[in-house]
Amino acid sequence: MNIVIAGAGAVGTHLARLLAREKHKITLLDENPSRLEGLNSNMDIMTLVATPTSISDLRGADVESADLFIGVTPDEARNLTACMIASRLGAKLTVARVDNSEYVTSDFSSFFKGVGIHSIVYPEMLAGREISHDIQRSWVRQWWDFQGGKLILLGVKVRENSMLVNKPLKDVCSPDDPYLIVALKHGSETLIPRGMTCITPGDVVYFMTTPENIDTIKELAGKVGYKEVKNVMMLGGSSTAIYAIKNLPKHINVKIFETDPKRVEELANIFIEDIDNGRITLLQADGRDINLLQDENIAHTQAFVATTENAETNILACLAAKRLGVQKTVAMVENSDYIGMAESLDIGTIINKKTFAASHIYQMLLKADVESLKSLTIANADVAEIKVLKGSKVSKKLVRDLRLPMNTNLGGYIRDGKCELINGNTQLKEGDIVVAFCIEDGIYKLEKFFSSSSFLGSLVN
């Protein structure tokens, strides 16, 4: 495919890196030369100093023959305009990143397609939904529902009290168990486990299971004592925070700390009903103040979320909350250089909205019928929900005989509304929805087992 990406920021470069390994023709353009320095030497892409809203510059980037144009500059207006121009010049598909929730409503979907913008991505909404899910499961680092919650993948950090630690996997897992350990993160390395792999204290273990067996996982991981989240403190009234709060159940109370008086007024208007009924408390105050947190009853708070635009602030605030006894902390970390540090400090859940945006776009480009794709911020891995197509390799043999890539693992599948975990004796069939765990370029290698010959038409639909 010929793909043109406008914007060499975090989303654009991450996306270019994902796509370059699949041998697509990638052109990454930005009007700031410093953002492009060294990228084409590290990745097999072409870089171009160009203005994304310039017709002549877009022609110079060969947009006229592009299969896909992606606008991910920091300016949503430029992204929308660039997509419209690219579509008019001949780009088959366009995707625009926006910062305005109004643009992602279904009311405007047909309008945007009519002017040449085929898909809209709003990172704050994606990240907000993820945070709300994380808050509700305080003992879990990461949690994903598949096919309406029929199959679940969860990442749990295990401690010394877990019955899984310091034992070979073959001794704690069997094909008859109601769970499957599909991967684990040991230090900075993510591994697909084998029979002799040992889980050690501090590892993040990724389980595939079904809803009725969640309590089994909780017991195995030594997390039985974790309390249900009823009270949340939120540092920063960002757009991401707003979407997180809107997605929380009504029985969870939220206390928001925001220092900007103008933003406090905006939040008061957004949450006026919840403030009136006492579910939300809005404070114009610095949520990093330890004495203030204690005065505001942090001792009876089960979750602390930091979503300011400053990664250091979010990390330090979560560390302080942990030391004050909060069992669940979530930090938004937009600077990728800090992600590893935040994880090593045992912050809790780390949210990077740019990674969510890139994964959402990347999902559109896979040849297989991928229904969802999530990137694991801390694990350098992807979780994909893939449909088994007619004639695909994966449907022709038992799983044990497929010779799947070593950096992939199939966790479970849904067939006719029923879910099953996958083992070596599983025979997948056309129409099955499979949940796969993939490290590094595993998703690219795995799609060859699931793909059919044509996929561009499905992207348009």
Side-chain angles (χ1 to χ4, degrees):
M1 290 182 72
N2 178 15
I3 302 170
V4 180
I5 303 172
V11 179
T13 53
H14 183 63
L15 196 52
R17 189 172 289 108
L18 290 173
L19 296 170
R21 66 194 186 195
E22 300 190 25
K23 308 304 179 186
H24 293 300
K25 178 188 175 184
I26 309 295
T27 303
L28 179 62
L29 61 91
D30 199 293
E31 55 190 351
N32 186 342
S34 65
R35 293 200 187 107
L36 298 169
E37 285 180 5
L39 292 179
N40 54 1
S41 61
N42 298 325
M43 297 181 276
D44 186 17
I45 64 172
M46 184 175 78
T47 58
L48 182 66
V49 179
T51 301
T53 53
S54 165
I55 294 174
S56 59
D57 282 0
L58 291 180
R59 281 181 169 149
D62 197 24
V63 164
E64 291 159 308
S65 62
D67 296 297
L68 179 67
F69 178 87
I70 304 168
V72 286
T73 75
D75 186 337
E76 68 178 3
R78 304 191 89 190
N79 295 334
L80 294 169
T81 302
C83 283
M84 287 189 284
I85 296 172
S87 182
R88 183 68 181 85
L89 290 173
K92 294 182 179 68
L93 288 173
T94 65
V95 180
R97 173 193 171 180
V98 301
D99 300 313
N100 188 333
S101 60
E102 294 177 334
Y103 294 149
V104 294
T105 60
S106 57
D107 296 345
F108 284 89
S109 177
S110 58
F111 164 76
F112 281 121
K113 287 181 180 178
V115 295
I117 303 169
H118 301 102
S119 184
I120 300 285
V121 176
Y122 181 38
E124 285 75 9
M125 179 182 289
L126 299 174
R129 288 173 180 168
E130 194 73 24
I131 290 172
S132 70
H133 293 155
D134 291 331
I135 289 173
Q136 295 172 62
R137 293 113 182 180
S138 61
W139 58 281
V140 176
R141 285 296 177 96
Q142 293 172 305
W143 174 299
W144 300 270
D145 290 328
F146 297 97
Q147 295 296 301
K150 293 175 182 174
L151 206 58
I152 296 167
L153 177 70
L154 58 157
V156 185
K157 192 161 193 172
V158 298
R159 309 290 183 181
E160 291 82 356
N161 64 332
S162 168
M163 62 184 72
L164 297 172
V165 300
N166 301 322
K167 299 173 186 176
L169 212 60
K170 65 181 182 64
D171 293 342
V172 294
C173 293
S174 76
D176 298 326
D177 285 330
Y179 63 89
L180 179 66
I181 296 178
V182 294
L184 61 92
K185 185 170 187 288
H186 179 70
S188 60
E189 186 180 11
T190 303
L191 308 168
I192 299 295
R194 307 300 170 195
M196 293 306 296
T197 302
C198 284
I199 297 169
T200 59
D203 288 350
V204 178
V205 181
Y206 293 92
F207 298 87
M208 182 71 69
T209 190
T210 51
E212 61 271 20
N213 293 301
I214 295 300
D215 287 343
T216 300
I217 304 299
K218 194 172 185 178
E219 185 177 354
L220 282 171
K223 303 288 184 177
V224 174
Y226 270 66
K227 300 175 183 177
E228 180 187 358
V229 172
K230 296 180 179 179
N231 300 301
V232 177
M233 285 186 173
M234 191 83 64
L235 177 65
S238 65
S239 297
T240 301
I242 290 170
Y243 272 95
I245 294 167
K246 285 183 174 181
N247 279 279
L248 287 174
K250 293 298 183 181
H251 71 270
I252 295 180
N253 300 314
V254 183
K255 192 167 287 187
I256 308 171
F257 298 90
E258 173 58 57
T259 56
D260 182 358
K262 183 178 179 182
R263 187 59 172 168
V264 170
E265 186 177 344
E266 292 171 351
L267 292 168
N269 290 328
I270 292 170
F271 294 116
I272 185 169
E273 184 178 335
D274 285 313
I275 292 172
D276 287 344
N277 64 31
R279 177 183 170 242
I280 291 178
T281 303
L282 180 58
L283 300 172
Q284 185 181 325
D286 190 343
R288 297 172 297 177
D289 186 327
I290 300 296
N291 292 328
L292 175 64
L293 292 177
Q294 290 173 327
D295 289 343
E296 292 298 330
N297 210 15
I298 195 170
H300 291 87
T301 297
Q302 295 80 40
F304 185 95
V305 182
T307 65
T308 75
E309 294 302 315
N310 188 294
E312 297 99 318
T313 294
N314 296 338
I315 292 169
L316 291 172
C318 285
L319 277 175
K322 277 273 188 182
R323 287 170 183 166
L324 290 170
V326 178
Q327 63 187 17
K328 177 70 175 183
T329 59
V330 181
M332 190 166 74
V333 181
E334 287 304 282
N335 187 332
S336 57
D337 295 335
Y338 290 136
I339 292 175
M341 179 186 71
E343 172 62 12
S344 67
L345 291 171
D346 201 17
I347 291 298
T349 299
I350 297 162
I351 297 291
N352 184 290
K353 62 177 185 255
K354 295 171 184 175
T355 303
F356 289 134
S359 298
H360 185 81
I361 298 169
Y362 181 54
Q363 173 192 329
M364 300 173 59
L365 307 179
L366 297 174
K367 293 185 180 70
D369 189 354
V370 178
E371 301 199 349
S372 70
L373 177 76
K374 297 177 184 290
S375 278
L376 279 64
T377 304
I378 65 170
N380 189 28
D382 298 311
V383 184
E385 193 176 6
I386 316 176
K387 188 173 184 178
V388 178
L389 302 179
K390 184 178 181 179
S392 58
K393 292 181 182 178
V394 78
S395 65
K396 295 180 179 179
K397 297 179 181 179
L398 297 177
V399 168
R400 68 179 180 221
D401 298 324
L402 287 172
R403 299 177 66 86
L404 294 170
M406 294 293 288
N407 57 351
T408 67
N409 207 345
L410 305 184
Y413 67 96
I414 295 92
R415 178 184 298 162
D416 299 327
K418 298 180 180 179
C419 62
E420 297 286 345
L421 298 178
I422 291 175
N423 58 44
N425 295 320
T426 300
Q427 174 72 64
L428 296 171
K429 297 180 180 180
E430 177 189 349
D432 290 349
I433 304 295
V434 178
V435 179
F437 194 102
C438 309
I439 298 173
E440 297 174 341
D441 63 348
I443 188 66
Y444 165 58
K445 293 179 179 178
L446 190 63
E447 69 163 335
K448 297 175 182 177
F449 289 81
F450 284 84
S451 63
S452 61
S453 59
S454 174
F455 76 102
L456 186 57
S458 67
L459 294 181
V460 179
N461 297 329

